[in-house]
Amino acid sequence: MKPSVRFPVTSTLLARLAYTSIIANVAIVVTGGGVRLTRSGLGCPTWPRCTDESYTTTPEMGVNGVIEFGNRLLTFVVGIIALAVVLGVLAQRPRRRGLLPLSVAVLLGIPAQAVIGGITVLTHLNPWVVGLHFLASMVVIAAAYALWRRIVEPDGPATPTVPAPLRTLALLTTLVSAAVLVVGTWVTGSGPHAGDQGAARNGLDPEAISQVHADGVFLLIGLSVALVLAFRAVGAARAARAAALLVAVELGQGLIGFVQYFTHLPVVLVAAHMLGSCLVLLASLAVLWSTRERRPVAPPARPAPAAEPVTAVA
């Protein structure tokens, strides 16, 4: 009987698949924003069907139906990529520790996110559910990023690269970044881009909640600048570069936010702001990962060969 042939899954191939998964999950956030910004949120007025009689859009539903249904189809593309990562992890020999739970978490997060998306339709785009839909995508992106980093890192134990107080500061910065994302969904829920003309708003005062969001952004930038200076002070060059990139992304995102606010939320800038939210999250996670590193595990030393017995010569 011939031995079964396994498809070789290298760490490079697996890393590329995981990186593609990150890009795909960011893309579906942006396209999901496009659904809302084009008022196509109820282009398919029910879920999981597109209409009561059809799983697909119909000509009578027009361009809004096409946009909404197209975004639903993208969920399958993202899911296929995530499934490919899981299969790649299972096929890898030797299998790396910790990869399978992370890859399964990403895979299961996609249908969970899709179900929340369906609930948004069934609740006629309730702004709180819409916000939860966005945040669920952020969780999946974070898991996909963690998986990618685990793949590209060596398989040794994690060791700190900066003192404990700075690791705590990096964690605090990441938590503030997450809080800014949460408050950002409240701002969206109070604004004009509801996804459909008949969708309700959350009732919060747009100016007041926008100010709270801006205050959180200022706090986040301040913490990030402090990280840059602190990492440089202790000679952690890699961590300092990651923090400097985070500051640059935050400044770009903040600029977009201010411009869109004072120009009455043009669609293009709102879409750019959603992409920026994903980039801020990824940059925050990169800083957190830069506070420790994994080194390759040294192979066990081979025992020295036994010395040959010496025979005495008479």
Side-chain angles (χ1 to χ4, degrees):
M1 183 177 179
K2 293 183 179 181
S4 59
V5 179
R6 292 183 178 273
F7 182 76
V9 179
T10 64
S11 294
T12 300
L13 174 60
L14 201 56
R16 288 175 179 173
L17 285 173
Y19 195 76
T20 302
S21 181
I22 296 174
I23 295 174
N25 279 284
V26 171
I28 203 168
V29 169
V30 177
T31 58
V35 171
R36 179 171 57 84
L37 295 170
T38 56
R39 298 186 180 274
S40 302
L42 295 178
C44 287
T46 189
W47 188 88
R49 294 174 181 262
C50 193
T51 69
D52 292 334
E53 295 80 22
S54 174
Y55 281 99
T56 62
T57 184
T58 61
E60 293 78 15
M61 300 170 70
V63 67
N64 295 118
V66 172
I67 293 173
E68 164 64 4
F69 182 70
N71 193 63
R72 292 186 183 189
L73 290 180
L74 284 177
T75 301
F76 292 98
V77 176
V78 178
I80 290 171
I81 295 171
L83 178 60
V85 176
V86 173
L87 295 177
V89 170
L90 290 173
Q92 192 180 37
R93 294 292 183 275
R95 189 181 301 167
R96 296 276 300 276
R97 294 176 300 169
L99 296 187
L100 186 58
L102 277 173
S103 62
V104 171
V106 174
L107 178 61
L108 295 181
I110 293 167
Q113 190 257 14
V115 169
I116 297 174
I119 295 173
T120 66
V121 174
L122 297 177
T123 58
H124 302 286
L125 305 184
N126 181 289
W128 300 107
V129 183
V130 172
L132 179 61
H133 188 215
F134 172 79
L135 295 175
S137 297
M138 295 295 104
V139 172
V140 175
I141 289 173
Y145 179 83
L147 174 62
W148 173 69
R149 288 300 297 256
R150 189 68 186 88
I151 292 171
V152 299
E153 291 175 334
D155 204 19
T159 57
T161 58
V162 298
L166 296 188
R167 297 198 302 274
T168 302
L169 181 59
L171 177 60
L172 176 61
T173 303
T174 304
L175 293 176
V176 171
S177 176
V180 168
L181 290 176
V182 172
V183 178
T185 65
W186 302 348
V187 176
T188 300
S190 69
H193 296 299
D196 184 81
Q197 292 183 354
R201 302 286 72 205
N202 60 22
L204 299 176
D205 179 68
E207 290 189 7
I209 197 62
S210 295
Q211 184 60 56
V212 173
H213 183 58
D215 292 341
V217 171
F218 287 133
L219 174 61
L220 178 60
I221 294 175
L223 290 172
S224 303
V225 171
L227 280 175
V228 174
L229 299 177
F231 288 154
R232 287 180 177 175
V234 298
R238 185 169 69 97
R241 288 194 298 270
L245 177 61
L246 174 60
V247 172
V249 173
E250 289 167 350
L251 291 176
Q253 175 74 336
L255 178 62
I256 294 172
F258 277 110
V259 173
Q260 73 169 1
Y261 179 80
F262 289 110
T263 55
H264 306 291
L265 305 176
V267 168
V268 173
L269 289 183
V270 175
H273 200 59
M274 293 189 68
L275 174 60
S277 297
C278 298
L279 297 180
V280 168
L281 173 65
L282 292 171
S284 299
L285 294 173
V287 171
L288 195 60
W289 252 261
S290 72
T291 61
R292 92 286 185 279
E293 64 181 358
R294 294 180 184 271
R295 295 186 176 92
V297 178
R302 294 183 178 181
E308 296 182 1
V310 179
T311 305
V313 178

